[in-house]
């Protein structure tokens, strides 16, 4: 069926309206209608175009979504070549003077002629593009290529909401707009968050991501990459009265509905440009996108023509770069550092590189997962980034530069400082040294914790004193505290006799304590004050606790598999047992008692395993309920398991239960069982 004149008119009106809203939203950043209203208009246009396909013109907003993939990118001849500009290598104000001097000399200007008028713009860090509008309609988009021949990327560029498919106002018969496609930093972050959640590879930086997106064969991929655009130059035109200056050209672009960067200024001579340069330098880190410098252009087009080109570079423009925020250097090695809490942090040792205004020789890689995520190998050439005051970061490898001699990093299984075992909880990204009391890297932290008010309560043993004692080598483990004498203390700088005596008295006072305090003082990971009390009550003695298996440990109220593993891991370390022995030998004592009697109840002596999500009870609640009825909750299914309580999305434990023929209950079944006894 042929579209009626009415349908034709309505479609044209919808296109105009939608593009106007698009412009208000994406270019002016000032939405004019609510999203729902926009969607309604959009759907109406889609429906019309479905009914009458001839209404789906290339400038229809419905054409942005991304059509079929292209077999290849077709070459495009640029009628007006897309040239690049000279980069001024002197990053100081000297660069400005050099440029201005060349311009003045070429124009034959004397000092009396006054300053040259320039336009200062930003140098966007993206991908140059040429947009061809015929009678106001976007008909083709091409990359720069070698300047003479680029690639046709119209299918992808159409998906960029900031680029008008139809110009507004009074566009000429032909207008080629040149500018930069780039990606905002927040859009880049969001994109990478999505990648991470989907388990996909992370993108290196906004620039490469933007360039990669524009050169995709499949526009559906480009449509998912949030790209932006700024216009800054002119290609071929026909039927247009050319503006007289670069500043007026940018104003004319804005009037046609094209995005133009607000940070542009007409500057008089060297002083004006230097001011612009310094102002933008101060602004750089707070801009929502990356720039690598500023661009100066002689403002008047007649003067630009007079200046012309030297070897394919205009004499009338120059790029003045800021110190780079990204550089490539070699990843010499990955060193593992142990923090005060035992956390093992891999640190990149880099071949020194000057980036972001400082020389960078190392950068944290955070943890093993981060290294895998970034895909860096030892020996790689890596991109190092330092923007503003942010700490330097290894962004990722330059895969193309691999030689085959690179090595994968493996997290050590022993602490590089004390050789204790390294443990990594299943649901944690950080690997930790289990050396605790024994590890020199954790010594200060461990001592402070040990002496804390809610632990052994050694009054006066604070931060500074611990630092002094450890640095002087007088105290290595908590046991050494009980061997201190006045002599050793008096030799410390700034230690008065009186304070030494006070400290010794406080240490003496702490010699006798409770089991709960002593357990807490050991600084076992995941064992807080409350858990320490539960453990003390449950086991009655330190020896019973030290010999408890993970299976026995989860029987304690509020102790799950993770905590049980921390405790068992701590006591499995011979060093830790040694420190405890030393403490005992030094005369530290605590009250011990009988282990708590098992609660008699309907589930007395029965072993339960919980898996999946129960409809109304949290895992902790279910555990508490079972324990209140005398049952035990274990972390894994074995032949000793009596019941498996399974909720939604139960996994391997349920399968194991079925395999072993263990009775499986749901939440209701559990309640009934506990009630009947
Ligand atoms: S003007 C003939 N202005 O930097 C002059 N370029 O080599 C053509 N760029 O390829 C370029 N911001 O990709 C111009 N405000 C700006 C720019 C800019 C970024 C890029 C562009 C060009 C390269 C310079």
């Amino acid at each position: 069926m042929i579209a009626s004149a009415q349908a034709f008119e309505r479609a044209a009106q919808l296109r105009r309206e939608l593009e106007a809203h698009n412009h208000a939203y994406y270019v002016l950043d000032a939405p004019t209608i609510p999203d729902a209203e926009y969607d309604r208009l959009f759907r109406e246009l889609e429906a019309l175009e479905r009914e009458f396909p001839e209404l789906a013109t290339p400038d229809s907003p419905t054409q942005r979504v991304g059509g079929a993939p292209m077999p290849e990118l077709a070459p495009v001849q640029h009628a007006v070549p897309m040239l690049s500009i000279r980069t001024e290598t002197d990053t100081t104000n000297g660069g400005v003077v050099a440029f201005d001097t060349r311009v003045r000399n070429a124009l034959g200007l004397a000092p009396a002629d006054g300053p040259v008028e320039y336009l200062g713009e930003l140098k966007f860090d993206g991908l140059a593009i040429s947009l061809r509008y015929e009678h106001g309609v976007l008909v083709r988009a091409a990359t720069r290529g070698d300047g003479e021949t680029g690639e046709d990327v119209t299918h992808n560029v159409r998906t960029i909401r900031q680029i008008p498919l139809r110009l507004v106002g009074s566009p000429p018969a032909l207008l080629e707009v040149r500018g930069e496609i780039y990606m905002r930093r927040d859009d880049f972050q969001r994109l990478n968050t999505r990648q991470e959640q989907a388990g996909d590879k992370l993108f290196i930086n906004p620039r490469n991501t933007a360039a990669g997106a524009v050169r995709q064969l499949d526009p559906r991929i480009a449509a998912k990459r949030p790209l932006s655009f700024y216009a800054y130059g002119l290609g071929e035109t026909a039927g247009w009265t050319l503006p007289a200056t670069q500043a007026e050209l940018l104003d004319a672009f804005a009037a046609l509905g094209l995005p133009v960067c607000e940070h542009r200024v007409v500057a008089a001579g060297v002083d004006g440009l230097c001011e612009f340069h310094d102002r933008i330098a101060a602004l750089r880190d707070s801009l929502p996108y990356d720039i690598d410098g500023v661009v100066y252009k002689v403002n008047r087009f007649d003067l630009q023509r007079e200046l012309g080109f030297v070897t394919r570079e205009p004499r009338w423009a120059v790029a003045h770069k800021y110190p780079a925020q990204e550089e490539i250097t070699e990843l010499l090695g990955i060193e593992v550092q142990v923090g005060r809490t035992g956390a093992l942090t891999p640190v990149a040792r880099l071949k020194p590189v000057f980036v972001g205004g400082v020389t960078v020789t190392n950068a944290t890689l955070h943890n093993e997962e981060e290294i895998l995520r970034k895909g860096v190998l030892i020996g790689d050439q890596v991109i190092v980034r330092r923007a503003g005051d942010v700490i330097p970061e290894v962004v990722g490898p330059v895969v193309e530069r691999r030689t085959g001699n690179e090595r994968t990093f493996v997290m050590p299984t022993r602490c590089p400082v004390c050789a204790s075992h390294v443990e990594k909880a299943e649901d944690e990204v950080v690997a930790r040294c289990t050396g605790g009391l024994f590890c020199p890297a954790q010594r200060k932290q461990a001592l402070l914790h040990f002496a804390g008010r809610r632990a052994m309560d050694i009054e006066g043993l604070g931060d500074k004193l611990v630092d002094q004692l450890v640095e002087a080598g007088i105290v290595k483990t908590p046991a050494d505290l009980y061997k201190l004498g006045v002599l050793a203390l008096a030799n410390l700088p700034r230690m008065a006799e009186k304070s030494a005596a006070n400290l010794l008295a406080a240490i003496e006072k702490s010699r006798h304590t409770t089991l709960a305090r002593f357990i807490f003082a050991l600084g076992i990971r995941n064992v807080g004050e409350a858990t320490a009390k539960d453990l003390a009550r449950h086991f009655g003695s330190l020896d019973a606790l030290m010999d408890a298996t993970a299976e026995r440990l989860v029987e304690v109220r509020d102790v799950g598999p993770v905590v049980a593993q921390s405790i068992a891991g701590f006591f499995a370390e011979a060093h830790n047992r040694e420190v405890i022995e030393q403490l005992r030998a030094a005369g530290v004592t605590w009250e011990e008692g009988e282990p708590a009697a098992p609660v008699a109840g309907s589930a007395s002596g029965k072993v339960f395993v919980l898996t999946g999500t129960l409809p109304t009870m949290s895992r902790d609640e279910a555990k508490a309920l079972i324990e209140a009825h005398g049952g035990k909750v274990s972390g894994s299914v074995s032949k000793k398991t009596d019941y498996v309580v399974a909720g939604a999305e139960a996994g391997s434990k349920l399968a194991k239960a079925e395999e072993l023929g263990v009775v499986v209950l749901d939440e209701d079944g559990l309640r009934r069982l506990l009630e009947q006894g």
Side-chain angles (χ1 to χ4, degrees), residues 351-662:
K351 190 164 162 200
V353 61
F354 190 73
V355 57
V358 297
T359 301
V360 175
T361 49
N362 47 52
T364 175
L365 287 164
H366 304 288
N367 53 59
E368 201 177 3
E369 258 174 42
E370 183 85 354
I371 297 175
L372 285 175
R373 220 161 51 101
K374 289 186 167 163
V376 286
L377 303 178
I378 298 166
D380 260 339
Q381 296 290 315
V382 291
I383 297 173
V384 176
R385 180 178 173 88
R386 182 182 181 270
D389 294 331
V390 182
I391 56 162
E393 175 197 21
V394 173
V395 179
V398 187
V399 178
E400 303 78 51
R401 296 213 191 156
R402 287 211 170 130
T403 60
N405 294 329
E406 296 76 13
R407 290 171 294 126
T408 347
F409 166 79
V410 248
M411 200 65 169
T413 52
R414 296 278 188 164
C415 171
V417 176
C418 75
S420 297
H421 284 101
V422 167
E423 78 172 10
K424 193 173 142 209
E426 230 172 78
D427 48 357
E428 261 210 71
V429 287
V430 180
R432 285 176 199 277
C433 162
T434 52
L437 302 177
F438 170 82
C439 180
Q442 299 172 69
R443 219 166 257 169
K444 290 180 186 173
Q445 178 83 347
L447 283 167
L448 270 177
H449 176 83
F450 184 85
R453 200 170 43 79
R454 294 176 306 152
M456 301 299 277
D457 193 17
I458 305 177
E459 224 185 295
L461 188 57
D463 241 326
K464 291 208 184 75
L465 203 47
V466 165
D467 278 0
Q468 280 190 316
L469 291 170
V470 170
E471 266 146 42
I474 304 174
V475 173
K476 294 198 173 67
T477 75
D480 295 337
L481 290 172
Y482 296 94
K483 300 170 194 159
L484 282 177
V486 189
L487 259 178
L489 287 179
N491 279 336
L492 291 177
R494 291 182 305 278
M495 171 66 82
E497 211 170 294
K498 179 96 175 19
S499 14
N502 284 346
L503 177 64
L504 289 177
I507 292 173
E508 196 48 46
K509 209 175 117 194
S510 75
R511 218 181 271 271
H512 187 70
T513 185
T514 65
L515 178 58
R517 274 179 179 268
F518 186 78
I519 294 171
F520 177 58
L522 293 176
I524 305 168
R525 212 178 131 60
N526 296 317
V527 176
E529 217 181 348
T531 307
K533 279 187 186 149
D534 286 343
L535 290 168
R537 203 178 309 122
H538 189 97
F539 289 100
S541 74
L542 187 69
D543 287 327
L545 172 65
M546 284 168 74
D547 294 338
T549 58
E551 290 264 290
R552 288 279 328 269
L553 285 162
V554 292
E555 290 168 11
V556 180
R557 193 163 64 97
D558 285 343
V559 171
V562 172
V563 182
Q565 189 42 53
S566 293
I567 300 168
F570 182 89
F571 290 118
E573 225 32 75
H575 310 307
N576 291 333
R577 285 177 174 262
E578 211 168 284
V579 173
I580 291 169
E581 273 328 299
Q582 285 172 20
L583 282 165
R584 275 184 166 137
V588 176
T589 58
W590 51 87
E591 295 143 15
E592 299 204 330
E594 287 301 310
V599 193
S602 51
S604 194
K606 299 285 184 224
V607 179
F608 292 72
V609 172
L610 298 167
T611 177
T613 314
L614 299 178
T616 72
M617 269 188 275
S618 76
R619 205 171 266 230
D620 286 342
E621 285 164 353
K623 186 166 187 274
L625 190 67
I626 292 167
E627 285 167 355
H629 288 82
K632 297 172 188 173
V633 175
S634 158
S636 57
V637 181
S638 72
K639 273 183 274 178
K640 292 189 200 127
T641 311
D642 294 293
Y643 301 101
V644 165
V645 184
E649 272 151 58
S652 58
K653 287 178 191 168
L654 180 57
K656 184 93 185 278
E658 279 158 0
E659 191 188 310
L660 295 175
V662 176

Side-chain angles (χ1 to χ4, degrees), residues 83-85 121-124 128 144 180 232 295 297 314:
L83 302 178
S84 67
I85 33 181
E121 296 176 10
L122 304 188
K123 187 169 188 314
F124 310 106
R144 191 169 94 99
E180 200 88 351
Y232 54 64
V295 175
K297 295 172 183 174

Side-chain angles (χ1 to χ4, degrees), residues 120-124 232 261 263 276 280 287 289 291 293-295:
E121 296 176 10
L122 304 188
K123 187 169 188 314
F124 310 106
Y232 54 64
C261 178
H263 299 293
F276 177 69
I280 300 297
L287 289 172
Y289 41 80
I291 59 168
V294 283
V295 175

Side-chain angles (χ1 to χ4, degrees), residues 81-87 120-129 144 178-181 207 230-234 246 250 261 291-297 304 309 312-314 316-319 321:
M82 286 181 79
L83 302 178
S84 67
I85 33 181
R86 177 191 166 109
T87 299
E121 296 176 10
L122 304 188
K123 187 169 188 314
F124 310 106
D125 202 5
L127 174 87
I129 196 90
R144 191 169 94 99
R178 267 116 196 232
E180 200 88 351
I181 290 178
R207 205 209 85 83
Y230 275 135
Y232 54 64
L234 206 55
Q246 173 72 8
L250 297 187
C261 178
I291 59 168
D292 50 1
V294 283
V295 175
Y296 312 135
K297 295 172 183 174
Q304 286 192 6
F309 295 82
R312 314 191 46 74
E313 284 174 348
W316 47 265
V318 78
K321 292 222 183 176

